Amino acid sequence: MSGKSDKKKPLVPSLRFPEFREAGAWEVKRLGDVAALKNGYAFKSSKYSDNGAYKVVTIANVQAGHMSIEDMQRISPLPSDLQTHQKLSAGDILISMTGNVGRICYVLIDDCLLNQRVGKLVPTKIDKEFFYHSIQNGNFQTAMQERAKGGAQGNLSAKDILQHVIYYPNNKHEQQKIAHCLSSLDEVIGLQAKKVQALKQHKKGLMQQLFPAEGETTPRLRFPEFREAGAWEVKLLGGICNVLQGYGFPERLQGRQGGKYPFCKVSDITSAVNENGGHVVTAANYADEDIVAELRAKPIPVGATIFAKIGEALRLNKRAIVDVECLVDNNVAGLKAKTSAAVDYFIFLLSQNVDLNKHCGGAVPSVNKSTIEAIKVLAPEPPEQQKIAHCLSSLDEVIGLESHKLDALKNLKKGLMQQLFPQEVA
């Protein structure tokens, strides 16, 4: 005999409220044993209307931990064969079943309609709030993504979801205590998220006033010392910036996790915009001097603005500013302010008002160096540029600090969940 016991260890979390420490092991059940999954309605896109009376929840509205209520599709009248469960109310639990699957969120508003490929989860034998938190962890979404693999885009079946194993304590009071703890933390996270969003909206509004509106040559808001400076001048980007080119990045050179230079692709720009306020400090790939020499590449200097110059990514008009010397691949271009003609951070701000879609051509959208150089922009003299740049970069610092606080709260919740829920069956 091996001497090892085949008996499984009791399933208990590492952190438990004092009154439940002797309450025994948690239950292990299939999700389908404690909840039902309701399907959505196959709305026809041709029936959508900008002034429809009902909002339709689609995959795009189901985000991890929150429901996006912006740009929701509308429809009216109600389809005659719409089922009762397909009319949603605030507090219903949704799951994404196509694409980026396994995202879980609450419905935030009443009178929404459930579209197909979005599922509605209805707890039947477990506290609703506890159930929501128990499937709001990364392990659940990872499991759903594994099950949805295959094909052009992932798809979850009802079976994939309902067979997932879920852990919970028998005592409803313990379920509710855990749920209340995590929901209280969610409230704090939500307030911090609103604070960050309000700061971003403030910056957006300030930019709209500090830069001339379309068809105008002076901004609505101007610093006192420049109010008599006259209209902003029309200039070519090539006159105030150097346009920087990227380099082909062979696959055999990719995969380095560290090195002197981050080697930025379009995906790294997207990450910088979404996660770091548009500042590039890291990348998924790195290069050292040997790769720079082999590619005969010239590093992008600190302060340059980089962006996608080809493909669907160009249409998104995302801009990032380089905080460390880096390399960029040949799907990316950069702008570096010319000495005495422009200020780097002003160029970063100015570039966000340039819609590259208006300057690209071909079946695949793209812009080249000469096209970028010929783009006309309005710009003041460098001293005013510097004042605008300082004002908005200071606001960026505040946004960055508050965003770090938000990230810290999210990490706190993640760590707490790892202790409040058993991690695996031994």
Side-chain angles (χ1 to χ4, degrees):
M1 294 180 65
S2 63
K4 293 183 179 179
S5 173
D6 293 329
K7 187 177 180 180
K8 293 180 178 178
K9 295 179 181 178
L11 187 66
V12 293
S14 60
L15 180 64
R16 209 165 189 180
F17 293 101
E19 62 267 42
F20 304 111
R21 286 174 185 161
E22 305 301 323
W26 283 28
E27 293 286 336
V28 182
K29 298 283 187 181
R30 292 185 312 117
L31 190 149
D33 293 329
V34 298
L37 177 69
K38 303 293 185 179
N39 64 303
Y41 185 87
F43 294 99
K44 294 181 180 178
S45 59
S46 59
K47 299 292 185 181
Y48 290 138
S49 169
D50 289 341
N51 55 2
Y54 298 92
K55 293 182 177 180
V56 179
V57 179
T58 66
I59 288 293
N61 304 118
V62 181
Q63 302 297 317
H66 74 280
M67 183 178 115
S68 170
I69 58 176
E70 297 179 3
D71 303 321
M72 292 183 74
Q73 300 282 7
R74 291 178 174 268
I75 196 169
S76 59
L78 288 176
S80 58
D81 57 341
L82 189 78
Q83 298 182 55
T84 302
H85 73 263
Q86 292 165 339
K87 190 170 182 180
L88 302 171
S89 299
D92 284 339
I93 300 171
L94 303 182
I95 179 172
S96 60
M97 298 178 65
T98 295
N100 186 4
V101 301
R103 291 172 294 178
I104 300 292
C105 73
Y106 277 131
V107 176
L108 298 179
I109 52 179
D110 291 323
D111 297 327
C112 291
L113 306 179
L114 184 66
N115 196 15
Q116 64 178 343
R117 306 316 301 157
V118 177
K120 174 181 173 181
L121 288 165
V122 183
T124 55
K125 297 180 181 179
I126 191 171
D127 180 79
K128 180 180 178 179
E129 199 175 345
F130 173 87
F131 174 75
Y132 173 79
H133 286 294
S134 71
I135 58 173
Q136 191 54 264
N137 61 67
N139 293 340
F140 176 78
Q141 187 170 9
T142 299
M144 293 301 102
Q145 290 171 343
E146 284 295 320
R147 292 178 187 181
K149 280 184 176 178
Q153 67 174 347
N155 285 290
L156 278 179
S157 68
K159 183 179 178 181
D160 291 330
I161 298 168
L162 296 175
Q163 285 194 338
H164 181 74
V165 173
I166 187 170
Y167 312 144
Y168 64 96
N170 265 323
N171 191 312
K172 280 286 184 72
H173 294 298
E174 185 173 7
Q175 295 176 25
Q176 291 165 356
K177 187 113 181 188
I178 293 169
H180 177 72
C181 171
L182 293 172
S183 293
S184 298
L185 188 51
D186 273 348
E187 288 181 17
V188 177
I189 291 171
L191 289 172
Q192 184 64 22
K194 286 180 180 178
K195 186 175 183 180
V196 171
Q197 188 58 35
L199 285 167
K200 289 180 177 179
Q201 287 300 116
H202 176 61
K203 180 191 173 186
K204 182 178 179 181
L206 194 54
M207 276 190 66
Q208 290 172 345
Q209 296 183 75
L210 288 171
F211 283 78
E214 188 172 355
E216 299 179 4
T217 57
T218 55
R220 283 170 284 174
L221 180 63
R222 211 163 187 182
F223 294 99
E225 61 267 42
F226 302 109
R227 286 173 187 162
E228 305 301 323
W232 287 20
E233 294 182 23
V234 176
K235 301 183 180 183
L236 299 180
L237 265 182
I240 59 175
C241 300
N242 291 312
V243 178
L244 311 174
Q245 302 279 62
Y247 300 88
F249 192 18
E251 192 170 342
R252 63 182 174 80
L253 299 179
Q254 299 178 31
R256 292 193 186 187
Q257 299 300 304
K260 184 175 180 179
Y261 302 107
F263 206 131
C264 297
K265 297 184 174 186
V266 170
S267 57
D268 297 303
I269 294 174
T270 300
S271 296
V273 172
N274 293 344
E275 301 168 13
N276 200 36
H279 290 262
V280 175
V281 292
T282 62
N285 296 278
Y286 281 78
D288 280 317
E289 295 291 359
D290 57 332
I291 292 179
V292 173
E294 180 179 339
L295 298 178
R296 297 181 180 179
K298 188 175 181 180
I300 300 290
V302 172
T305 295
I306 59 175
F307 50 89
K309 68 173 187 178
I310 189 170
E312 288 304 310
L314 177 150
R315 298 192 190 280
L316 299 177
N317 276 314
K318 293 183 183 293
R319 310 285 183 265
I321 188 167
V322 173
D323 285 359
V324 294
E325 272 194 305
C326 67
L327 299 174
V328 297
D329 76 6
N330 52 8
N331 292 323
V332 175
L335 299 173
K336 176 65 176 172
K338 289 185 176 179
T339 304
S340 302
V343 173
D344 280 332
Y345 202 82
F346 178 84
I347 294 300
F348 170 58
L349 298 168
L350 177 67
S351 70
Q352 295 172 49
N353 292 327
V354 176
D355 184 359
L356 289 179
N357 292 290
K358 296 179 180 179
H359 303 278
C360 62
V364 178
S366 66
V367 290
N368 57 32
K369 185 173 185 289
S370 58
T371 300
I372 297 170
E373 289 173 335
I375 293 174
K376 293 180 180 179
V377 294
L378 284 168
E381 292 303 306
E384 187 171 0
Q385 292 182 29
Q386 184 65 60
K387 191 85 173 183
I388 293 169
H390 177 72
C391 171
L392 292 170
S393 63
S394 297
L395 187 52
D396 270 348
E397 289 180 13
V398 176
I399 293 171
L401 288 172
E402 296 300 332
S403 296
H404 286 314
K405 290 179 185 178
L406 178 59
D407 291 339
L409 285 168
K410 288 179 178 179
N411 287 331
L412 173 63
K413 182 187 174 185
K414 183 179 179 181
L416 188 58
M417 287 187 70
Q418 288 173 346
Q419 296 181 76
L420 287 174
F421 288 85
Q423 294 306 297
E424 61 182 12
V425 179

